[in-house]
Amino acid sequence: MQFMLLFSRQGKLRLQKWYVPLSDKERKKISRDLVQTILARKPKMCSFLEWRDLKIVYKRYASLYFCCAVEDQDNELITLEIIHRYVELLDKYFGSVCELDIIFNFEKAYFILDEFLLGGEAQETSKKNVLKAIEQADLLQEVRLHTDP
Amino acid sequence: MRGLAVFISDIRNCKSKEAEIKRINKELANIRSKFKGDKALDGYSKKKYVCKLLFIFLLGHDIDFGHMEAVNLLSSNKYTEKQIGYLFISVLVNSNSDLISLINNAIKNDLSSRNPTFMNLALHCIANVGSREMAEAFAAEVPRILVAGDTMDSVKQSAALCLLRLNTTSPDLVPMGEWTARVVHLLNDQHLGVVTAATSLITTLAQKSPEDFKTSVSLAVARLSRIVSSASTDLQDYTYYFVAAPWLSVKLLRLLQCYPPPEDGAIRGRLTECLETILNKAQEPPKSKKVQHSNAKNAVLFEAISLIIHHDSEPTLLVRACNQLGQFLQHRETNLRYLALESMCTLASSEFSHEAVKTHIETVINALKSERDVSVRQRAVDLLYAMCDRSNAKQIVAEMLSYLETADYSIREEIVLKVAILAEKYAVDYTWYVDTILNLIRFAGDYVSDEVWYRVIQIVINRDEVQGYAAKTVFEALQAPACHENLVKVGGYILGEFGNLIAGDSRSSPLIQFDLLHSKFHLCSVPTRALLLSAYIKFINLFPEVKGTIQEVLRSDSQLRNADVELQQRAVEYLRLSCIASTDILATVLEEMPPFPERESSILAKLKKKKGPGNLHPDLDENRKERSVNGGTVAASPTPSTDLLGLGSTIATQNSAPPVSKGTSLLVDVFSENIIPDMRCLPLAPFPSRFVCKNNGVLYENQLLQIGLKSEFRQNLGRMYVFFGNKTSTQFMNFAASVFILCIPADPTVDGGAQLQQILNIECVSDFVDAPVLNIQFRYGGTLQNIAVKLPITLNKFFQPTEMTSQDFFQRWKQLGAPQQEVQKIFKAKNSMDTEVTKAKIMGFGAALLDGVDPNPSNFVGAGVIHTKTTQVGCLLRLEPNTQAQMYRLTLRTSRDTVSQRLCDLLSEQF
């Protein structure tokens, strides 16, 4: 996977994760173009499209669009389910997740994504294991880890 | 972090962009003053402000401070502070930051902390940033963590993908070797999460060095087999909507696509079983109505089909795959229809399933007409293009043409290119081709690129039988009151060349033709007008009776004093030419265009280019090709040891272009080179084509001189003995022979009846098209004789035959499957179609003749390697005679497009 974008129906970017080195300018241009392209598509259209030399896989959940760019030989359907598994993880963590959860706890959304995908590849596909890792981290919240000198 | 939540709601409440920017600037000023303040900030505040900066950055604003504070957080002893620090670094620090050594230090500490949560944070950071500096610092450490016996599973997963990322960004820095075997063994790990991460890593590494990871094949097959045959509850949380480990299955199937089918029969059998089971499951009733269930199941199915296509060796599996995709073509899910069309495209290129794919033509045509989503229609166009062959070309081209009228603007140009290519490739009857292209211009003139109309002109000029028809058709098409400018261009060019073929009919008399063209003149752009002016001067030659009318037009102020310098110059020059030149000179200057060399259509290159930046520099590629047309690659030098005749000393070896014959320059001027970019340079005396398959013989002979040749070639080197025989009884004086601009000093005299021998040493530096020219000069009696003849040094001379088994042959054939690697030509037999002669010719051409490879015994299959100084190019060829039609189909596949083209051109001339 080359990148993942979450954006609202109004075209506001809510999360962006880049797995390939790109300049800030390129990232902005790509997000702008892609958001426009996808928002222009009708609801019943297929979830895949060719865009530049990438394959775009996207799906809308309530007010949020989840969009992944994968390479030519990558599997579209499994990417669609990567999106779904991520949504499930967010849902489980926040308890029926909504756009506001992701806005106000954007850092958590990033942490969960990092536990699930790393370098653009699925790292751990078990829902239980991902949530366990996040919960463990949460337990460490305010605990001092090293004894002060 | 209440402060952060408050800030975020403030931003959300901003009514306008300006208000938002104002609020952000206020916050930035606040944070800046806090960071600069005298009072040391506590960790919590630092974390809060760094998080706010991150939020501001993600909103799309620039952040130019705070990096140092984020780096400080990395060494915090509170987990959440560390976590925010790492997040900031991953998102915002680019590789050339001066902070990189501080960051690397913090990462190093966390990696050695033995605390799995910290180690994971550090590994995630390396994977997210993935810069070269990080690769330098950790490329040795990460593999150690990955294969260490006491590493926790979750850390192994992070380490595997972290290593993958480092390997993609800086492959040279990641040492391979001692840990490869242990990484492969991770496929056997108990923990499916570890296997999932490791499979991604191994796939990437195996793509780069398949040999090192060959052992992964058997492990992957074993793993896949266990997953496929497991009950849906066996894998616990790795079962996703009743599908066992879909992600891992897809990854394993991907890994197997890095390799040919397993050689070991048992493993191969087990894999076939897996693939059959996956295909069977597709027919079972779904275990859940949820779309996630069918998506996951079909994801595995599509990946299995990809593997089947990749192996391209099991006809039954291929046909089953095709039938399965055929079902999906009519599925109610748009996604599945899309993927089925896409997947069938690759299936169409396999010889085992091509016919099976063709049976779905009606469904695909229907998809083209009825799909509501343009991306699905685009796939249907692609599939029609892929499944097209001689049997269905007319139907497919007709359907594409009719779709073109309503097609989305975004894909029109591509459809135009595809139609143009198919029409040319499968034209049996060139009138159909001409009609098709004119229809293209009629329906989608704006999308017809220059390449397309250049091509139709090249083809019309090269084929006598279609010229009259083309002239008649364009003449009729031009009658339309509004016709596209591209039609005017084609019309102008063709009538200028072949208008005489229809001038006998009083309805298309010369004057009517001229008036018709000229009625379009004023509506056209400058380049088209320039072309029309050239057509007019050609008319003056074809039809002396309209000379006066045309001179009148050229003489008018709007031409002679045109503001455009090109138009003015043409008008002035053509007018003068028509006034002063005699009929003979006019006839020579304005002669019909010579045929163009047979070459790959540039439309194909254009289509490849359109297909996206995947094909990186098609322009460069094109240039290279153009150059190689003129760039010779033969170097000559006499060998001292065999220098019996004392032929001079060393001559530098070099590549250089043969001088372009000046004879064509006039024509080039008349039809300026931007109209047809590639004008052929007329060869002086081409060598007899039998030399392509032979090395010895008489190259040239006239009343005075006979030139004989004896040559031998090994790998990229060759030696040619040239014998100059004086057939007269008088001495030749001042005898000199040279190759290109290199002079080969020869004995200045050749006695009557005597023979002079020269030795040329030849080295093939890179692949080439043009043969070197041998120029000979001598004085015979009082007159200077000048002879130029091409030496029969052709690319195929550097062939080494390669014997291979049928399986190897098809394996390689598939590997050379990229469209530019294949060149195909269908041509009429010039000689009798004798099997033994054909065999001898293919062997003489240099390839090994492979028996029993082609299922059809009347076909010929050959293989060999072209040796050049820099590279070796593997070549496969297949010749399919059709004795009934007296036609051949010749297909060349090599790893280099120019080589495929050249060999195809050379060999097709032989039969």
Side-chain angles (χ1 to χ4, degrees), chain B residues 505-524:
Chain B
D505 188 325
S506 61
R507 286 166 301 179
S508 52
S509 71
L511 191 61
I512 296 178
Q513 286 187 40
F514 172 73
D515 285 341
L516 182 61
L517 280 181
H518 199 54
S519 68
K520 315 284 180 196
F521 187 90
H522 302 280
L523 300 169
C524 291

Side-chain angles (χ1 to χ4, degrees), chain A residues 47 81 88 123-124 126 128, chain B residues 158 200 237-238 240-241 335:
Chain A
S47 312
E81 293 320 296
E88 285 184 347
Q123 173 178 213
E124 177 54 85
S126 150
K128 250 187 236 154
Chain B
S158 303
S200 296
D237 211 33
Y238 289 91
Y240 179 82
Y241 291 88
N335 286 348

Side-chain angles (χ1 to χ4, degrees), chain B residues 450-608:
Chain B
D450 287 346
E451 285 84 354
V452 173
W453 75 263
Y454 290 169
R455 189 66 182 168
V456 69
I457 283 172
Q458 286 178 10
I459 286 180
V460 169
I461 285 181
N462 285 14
R463 304 199 190 259
D464 302 342
E465 73 272 17
V466 77
Q467 289 161 355
Y469 181 80
K472 181 167 156 285
T473 319
V474 293
F475 177 78
E476 280 162 9
L478 283 170
Q479 305 285 343
C483 49
H484 195 272
E485 189 161 335
N486 277 334
L487 183 66
V488 180
K489 290 180 187 163
V490 176
Y493 203 115
I494 289 187
L495 292 181
E497 292 293 323
F498 309 113
N500 55 328
L501 299 177
I502 55 168
D505 188 325
S506 61
R507 286 166 301 179
S508 52
S509 71
L511 191 61
I512 296 178
Q513 286 187 40
F514 172 73
D515 285 341
L516 182 61
L517 280 181
H518 199 54
S519 68
K520 315 284 180 196
F521 187 90
H522 302 280
L523 300 169
C524 291
S525 64
V526 168
T528 308
R529 288 191 200 187
L531 184 148
L532 285 177
L533 288 179
S534 300
Y536 297 169
I537 186 75
K538 289 231 156 187
F539 267 20
I540 289 184
N541 175 47
L542 289 181
F543 315 120
E545 64 266 41
V546 294
K547 183 171 174 179
T549 320
I550 291 175
Q551 281 177 332
E552 196 73 15
V553 169
L554 292 175
R555 206 176 280 126
S556 73
D557 275 358
S558 63
Q559 308 295 356
L560 277 189
R561 300 185 183 183
N562 196 296
D564 185 272
V565 68
E566 175 69 33
L567 292 182
Q568 191 185 98
Q569 185 175 0
R570 284 194 192 211
V572 170
E573 287 178 2
Y574 292 164
L575 183 60
R576 277 312 278 163
L577 184 66
S578 72
C579 294
I580 58 171
S582 71
T583 337
D584 281 354
I585 292 180
L586 265 185
T588 316
V589 171
L590 302 170
E591 199 181 7
E592 192 180 298
M593 292 295 286
F596 291 89
E598 290 291 341
R599 51 159 62 215
E600 189 197 1
S601 160
S602 56
I603 306 175
L604 217 52
K606 172 102 179 171
L607 182 67
K608 282 171 210 154

